[in-house]
Amino acid sequence: MAKTHSALVILPFLCFFLICPLLLNSPSIVHGVRCRDKQRKESSRLQAVNRKLTAMNKLLMEENERLQKQVSQLVHENAYMKQQLQNPSLANDASCESNVTTPANLRDASNPSGLLSIAEETLTEFLSKATGTAIDWVQMPGMKPGPDSFGIVTVSHGCRGVAARACGLVNLEPTKIVEILKDRPCWFRDCRSAEVFTMLPAGNGGTIELVYMQMYAPTTLVPARDFWTLRYTTTLEDGSLVVCERSLSGSGGGQSTATIQQFVRAEMLPSGYLVRQCEGGGSIVRIVDHLDLDAWSVPEVLRPLYESSRVVAQKMTTAALRYIRQIAQETSGEVVYALGRQPAVLRTFSQRLSRGFNDAISGFNDDGWSVMGGDGIEDVIIACNSKKIRNSSNPASAFGAPGGIICAKASMLLQSVPPAVLVRFLREHRSEWADYNFDAYSASALKTSPCSLPGLRPMRFSGSQIIMPLAHTVENEEILEVVRLEGQALTHDEGVLSRDIHLLQLCTGIDEKSMGSCFQLVFAPVDELFPDDAPLISSGFRVIPLDIKTDGVPSGRTLDLASSLEVGTTAQHASGDGSQDDCNLRSVLTIAFQFPYEIHLQDSVAAMARQYVRSIVSAVQRVSMAISPSLSGLSTRPKIISGFPEAATLVRWICQSYQYHLGVDLVSHSDEAGESLLRMFWDHQDAVLCCSFKEKPVFTFGNQMGIDMLETTLIALQDLTLDKIFDEAGRKALHAEIPKLMEQVQLLNPSM
């Protein structure tokens, strides 16, 4: 009986453990658990949004209070001016003269007490700009404050120099934000170096630092800038962290005799960062940049780059705020990148690409650069660097060519060319300006130590490029990607030598909504394994607008070939959609390409580089004519066709393919090039249509007779598949011939 009783006691427990898994797997229970998880996540999200709204509301209230103070001050000044006008005798009253004080930057900075006095005055002036009315701030056009906005961005109006201010909420601790912002080279792409020469303790646990900073030149037409500043870090009574900075007088800093001629000393007026902890987490950040860049030392056409507060706002102030917001999102796990790469590694690649390009443009002597010569002021500049390219933190991975690096660079002014459209075209239509052999030449230097130019096999770019995105910033103002170029050998015997080329590419400002002050396409060949410490030899393009648009309305122009070739009302309508600002837009384009060389081939590589960059300049000029709103709307057919370089290239390929496969020329004088060949093809008496064989044969291009035969237009032609123009019997015959055609293509091109 005892055994039976114990068995009866144990049985309910066994049943309970058997039933529990069944209950847990019940659909209703699983659905309930999921609903509760979803509710918890939604509740957390709403709480985070509420905290953000509370912080933004506080920020807006403070901004409103500042504006009220500014209004009161203006009313007081207005009343004082009226009194002066009514009583002229008061204007000459000596008792009204204010005391003359010595500017802080001219005081004795050789002793700690003098430095502390300068630091305290710098703090007072900075706070009056960040939260007070020392500067008349106006909202930067295109920036709309709100809970989901980037922040509040304002620029100066009617003050000395150029100034910008940004306020925003960042989900990071104040100490972390200050640490990031003080490391200016990590987020400010134009900053070459920032070296702390002296560090002294100050009250409240603060520090005083003497900093020498160098900035890159934005183009080859102007010298670089440098600063000698005092930087003061302290904590306010309310717990806010402050970093304020201003220039010191004298020629202090780290200028050497080799570089002193390459820099112009600029002045930083009281600027800095004010960071305050929020109750619900995160921090409110205020950033002020106030500079005097000595605009009179540059050519008049380029002075807008140094006289525009909006340029400072875009290049420095908002760049700092965007960077710390990017770090915050990466830290919280909101951003996930492809290929399993860590965000810090991808950021480093972007910084190295940009830094290498800036080094090539500025060509500083202490980096080893020396000018070999040029044929004129506006011609190509050739510079040589015999040192190693050290753009990696690992010295062992520094690239060292057997002889060095040749850089060919040039700058040119563009009129009526939208920068974003130009950079997008250069990115998407590489075959229109690039030579595959030069890409292969630069890529070969990464794999083998010798990089002899005569040893290269002639290759042909197949016209196909595959763009693989890696990362992008929060607002897509920068995109990092890998580009694979597919190459083919020119002969069947060399087919085994055909190989693809991989480029690491950084695009800036190509987004349709971009309002940046700099538009770039920078790239460098990389090994297909793409190691984290790969050496990078940067080349590329930079377009800087000289007439900053104030409406913030992006251009919506298309890069479609057919729309550029369309005649009549379509082209005129497209032209009419462009804004008048685009037609009057001026910008400066800077091109820089780098090539490794052997010592005995230095002159040959220099001549090759000069000629290559000249050909790129010519290609860019043709592209500029095609995408210019003031030129692309011409109603005469020959000008519209010849204005787009891709059309001439496509016609040349069609004629070469026709002659190769059929043994006869499609047009007479097929050796012609450019406009004449394009015009002969367009006016050919027979209908000529070009198809691309993908999943289905699709029309891509045709001449006037072919378009008329199909009773369509160039725009609608690309929506037609080849089988749509045949009946049932014709479609069967077509599908029977396609495999034979593809087999012939495979035999002719074994590498495909």
Side-chain angles (χ1 to χ4, degrees):
M1 289 293 295
K3 292 182 180 180
T4 304
H5 178 71
S6 62
L8 293 174
V9 172
I10 295 174
L11 183 60
F13 290 96
L14 293 176
C15 294
F16 174 78
F17 286 114
L18 290 174
I19 294 173
C20 277
L22 297 176
L23 293 175
L24 292 176
N25 291 328
S26 173
S28 60
I29 295 179
V30 172
H31 178 71
V33 171
R34 291 177 179 174
C35 287
R36 285 193 294 272
D37 290 340
K38 186 176 181 180
Q39 290 174 353
R40 281 195 295 267
K41 292 180 180 179
E42 183 66 15
S43 176
S44 300
R45 188 188 69 83
L46 291 175
Q47 290 176 3
V49 172
N50 185 54
R51 289 194 299 268
K52 183 177 180 180
L53 289 173
T54 302
M56 289 297 296
N57 182 57
K58 188 174 183 180
L59 185 62
L60 290 173
M61 290 176 62
E62 293 176 355
E63 180 68 9
N64 183 55
E65 183 180 354
R66 185 195 67 81
L67 291 174
Q68 289 178 352
K69 291 180 180 179
Q70 185 174 351
V71 170
S72 300
Q73 181 177 347
L74 291 174
V75 170
H76 177 74
E77 291 177 356
N78 185 42
Y80 177 75
M81 290 299 297
K82 286 182 178 180
Q83 184 181 7
Q84 291 286 63
L85 292 174
Q86 293 174 359
N87 300 287
S89 59
L90 294 177
N92 298 323
D93 189 358
S95 62
C96 296
E97 294 180 1
S98 59
N99 295 326
V100 178
T101 58
T102 304
N105 64 332
L106 296 180
R107 296 182 185 178
D108 184 14
S110 60
N111 60 78
S113 60
L115 292 176
L116 183 59
S117 175
I118 296 174
E120 292 294 341
E121 290 191 11
T122 303
L123 174 62
T124 302
E125 292 186 38
F126 162 68
L127 291 177
S128 67
K129 297 176 183 179
T131 61
T133 59
I135 289 181
D136 183 12
W137 298 110
V138 295
Q139 183 174 321
M140 191 172 77
M143 304 300 295
K144 298 179 180 179
D148 296 325
S149 69
F150 166 76
I152 302 174
V153 182
T154 54
V155 293
S156 61
H157 175 69
C159 73
R160 177 192 168 194
V162 288
R165 188 187 66 164
C167 307
L169 179 65
V170 180
N171 191 25
L172 285 175
E173 295 297 319
T175 53
K176 180 65 175 178
I177 293 174
V178 169
E179 177 187 350
I180 295 173
L181 293 178
K182 290 179 70 172
D183 186 12
R184 192 176 271 119
C186 78
W187 56 265
F188 185 27
R189 294 294 170 82
D190 286 354
C191 181
R192 184 195 183 205
S193 62
E195 183 179 357
V196 178
F197 276 76
T198 304
M199 179 181 294
L200 300 172
N204 298 327
T207 57
I208 296 175
E209 301 165 299
L210 300 184
V211 183
Y212 176 64
M213 181 177 69
Q214 292 180 345
M215 293 175 61
Y216 288 108
T219 175
T220 61
L221 303 175
V222 294
R225 264 52 181 170
D226 66 349
F227 297 85
W228 173 240
T229 64
L230 177 145
R231 186 168 65 190
Y232 180 36
T233 305
T234 187
T235 304
L236 301 181
E237 294 181 356
D238 62 355
S240 300
L241 290 180
V242 179
V243 180
C244 54
E245 190 171 7
R246 81 178 306 158
S247 286
L248 296 174
S249 62
S251 58
Q255 280 188 336
S256 63
T257 55
T259 61
I260 193 171
Q261 300 296 329
Q262 294 183 292
F263 288 95
V264 172
R265 178 59 55 90
E267 182 181 358
M268 180 183 294
L269 288 81
S271 308
Y273 321 110
L274 174 61
V275 186
R276 186 177 63 204
Q277 179 85 43
C278 292
E279 295 180 1
S283 306
I284 293 178
V285 183
R286 288 179 172 86
I287 303 174
V288 174
D289 292 305
H290 193 178
L291 308 174
D292 186 346
L293 298 172
D294 193 11
W296 294 101
S297 62
V298 301
E300 184 176 359
V301 68
L302 299 177
R303 285 178 190 170
L305 299 179
Y306 299 88
E307 295 177 338
S308 171
S309 295
R310 182 169 178 177
V311 172
V312 173
Q314 292 170 334
K315 296 181 69 173
M316 289 186 66
T317 317
T318 59
L321 193 53
R322 282 193 178 100
Y323 186 82
I324 56 179
R325 288 187 63 191
Q326 183 80 21
I327 298 295
Q329 291 197 1
E330 293 173 356
T331 304
S332 63
E334 297 179 34
V335 180
V336 179
Y337 293 132
L339 303 180
R341 298 277 183 174
Q342 294 297 322
V345 174
L346 296 176
R347 279 201 313 273
T348 302
F349 274 124
S350 300
Q351 293 167 359
R352 288 170 54 199
L353 273 175
S354 180
R355 185 177 183 84
F357 189 58
N358 280 322
D359 284 334
I361 291 176
S362 297
F364 293 117
N365 295 335
D366 58 349
D367 281 339
W369 290 102
S370 60
V371 178
M372 296 180 61
D375 295 342
I377 298 178
E378 297 182 357
D379 204 356
V380 178
I381 300 172
I382 302 296
C384 173
N385 189 347
S386 58
K387 292 185 178 181
K388 290 184 177 181
I389 303 298
R390 297 186 181 274
N391 54 21
S392 172
S393 58
N394 182 10
S397 67
F399 174 77
I405 301 293
I406 290 288
C407 177
K409 51 190 175 181
S411 295
M412 55 187 292
L413 295 175
L414 301 177
Q415 181 76 27
S416 306
V417 179
V421 179
L422 175 60
V423 172
R424 284 205 305 272
F425 184 93
L426 296 173
R427 171 178 177 260
E428 298 169 3
H429 301 269
R430 188 180 184 87
S431 61
E432 293 300 330
W433 56 267
D435 189 323
Y436 183 87
N437 291 314
F438 288 92
D439 291 325
Y441 172 72
S442 298
S444 66
L446 299 176
K447 299 185 178 182
T448 57
S449 185
C451 49
S452 166
L453 180 61
L456 284 177
R457 302 266 183 177
M459 304 287 286
R460 181 181 62 189
F461 177 47
S462 67
S464 175
Q465 65 175 14
I466 300 175
I467 299 178
M468 298 168 283
L470 286 178
H472 60 82
T473 51
V474 176
E475 299 180 0
N476 290 325
E477 68 273 2
E478 280 191 358
I479 300 175
L480 184 68
E481 54 196 15
V482 173
V483 181
R484 189 179 74 189
L485 306 178
E486 297 181 354
Q488 299 176 355
L490 294 182
T491 62
H492 302 308
D493 296 335
E494 295 175 351
V496 69
L497 299 176
S498 300
R499 63 186 180 193
D500 299 339
I501 294 175
H502 295 80
L503 303 174
L504 183 65
Q505 185 165 272
L506 178 67
C507 309
T508 305
I510 66 171
D511 186 75
E512 193 68 29
K513 299 180 181 179
S514 176
M515 294 175 54
S517 61
C518 180
F519 302 80
Q520 287 188 147
L521 181 69
V522 181
F523 47 85
V526 293
D527 188 87
E528 56 267 18
L529 298 179
F530 192 28
D532 291 346
D533 58 351
L536 301 177
I537 307 176
S538 302
S539 301
F541 306 86
R542 172 182 293 162
V543 187
I544 304 176
L546 298 177
D547 303 312
I548 304 297
K549 294 170 62 177
T550 59
D551 55 5
V553 179
S555 173
R557 292 182 51 74
T558 177
L559 295 180
D560 183 54
L561 168 64
S563 63
S564 295
L565 295 180
E566 188 60 86
V567 296
T569 58
T570 304
Q572 294 173 357
H573 177 71
S575 175
D577 291 339
S579 67
Q580 187 67 24
D581 290 333
D582 284 339
C583 296
N584 298 324
L585 182 67
R586 294 180 306 164
S587 57
V588 57
L589 168 67
T590 300
I591 304 172
F593 279 74
Q594 299 187 77
F595 304 93
Y597 71 91
E598 292 181 350
I599 296 178
H600 64 284
L601 291 174
Q602 179 177 357
D603 293 338
S604 299
V605 174
M608 172 202 73
R610 177 183 285 111
Q611 188 61 36
Y612 183 46
V613 171
R614 282 176 178 167
S615 68
I616 292 175
V617 169
S618 300
V620 170
Q621 289 174 340
R622 294 195 303 269
V623 171
S624 300
M625 290 179 59
I627 65 178
S628 172
S630 62
L631 298 177
S632 61
L634 301 179
S635 59
T636 54
R637 183 181 63 192
K639 290 185 178 180
I640 293 174
I641 297 175
S642 61
F644 203 101
E646 188 179 5
T649 303
L650 196 53
V651 168
R652 186 174 67 252
W653 288 351
I654 294 173
C655 294
Q656 290 176 352
S657 176
Y658 191 89
Q659 198 278 336
Y660 179 79
H661 290 92
L662 301 180
V664 295
D665 292 330
L666 177 61
V667 296
S668 59
H669 307 290
S670 60
D671 55 344
E672 294 286 342
E675 180 179 350
S676 58
L677 179 62
L678 182 58
R679 189 171 301 174
M680 285 188 292
F681 174 84
W682 185 259
D683 295 329
H684 198 278
Q685 61 181 359
D686 296 327
V688 183
L689 296 167
C690 177
C691 296
S692 63
F693 282 81
K694 299 179 181 179
E695 295 181 358
K696 289 184 178 181
V698 179
F699 290 109
T700 57
F701 188 59
N703 65 348
Q704 183 67 64
M705 188 63 68
I707 294 171
D708 293 342
M709 180 186 70
L710 296 179
E711 297 180 349
T712 184
T713 64
L714 275 174
I715 296 177
L717 179 66
Q718 297 183 349
D719 296 329
L720 289 178
T721 55
L722 188 58
D723 56 354
K724 290 183 179 180
I725 67 173
F726 294 105
D727 55 12
E728 186 63 28
R731 280 194 288 269
K732 290 182 180 179
L734 174 65
H735 292 310
E737 292 295 328
I738 287 179
K740 299 178 183 179
L741 179 61
M742 298 304 294
E743 183 179 356
Q744 293 178 7
V745 173
Q746 187 68 27
L747 292 175
L748 292 173
N749 298 279
S751 60
M752 292 184 64

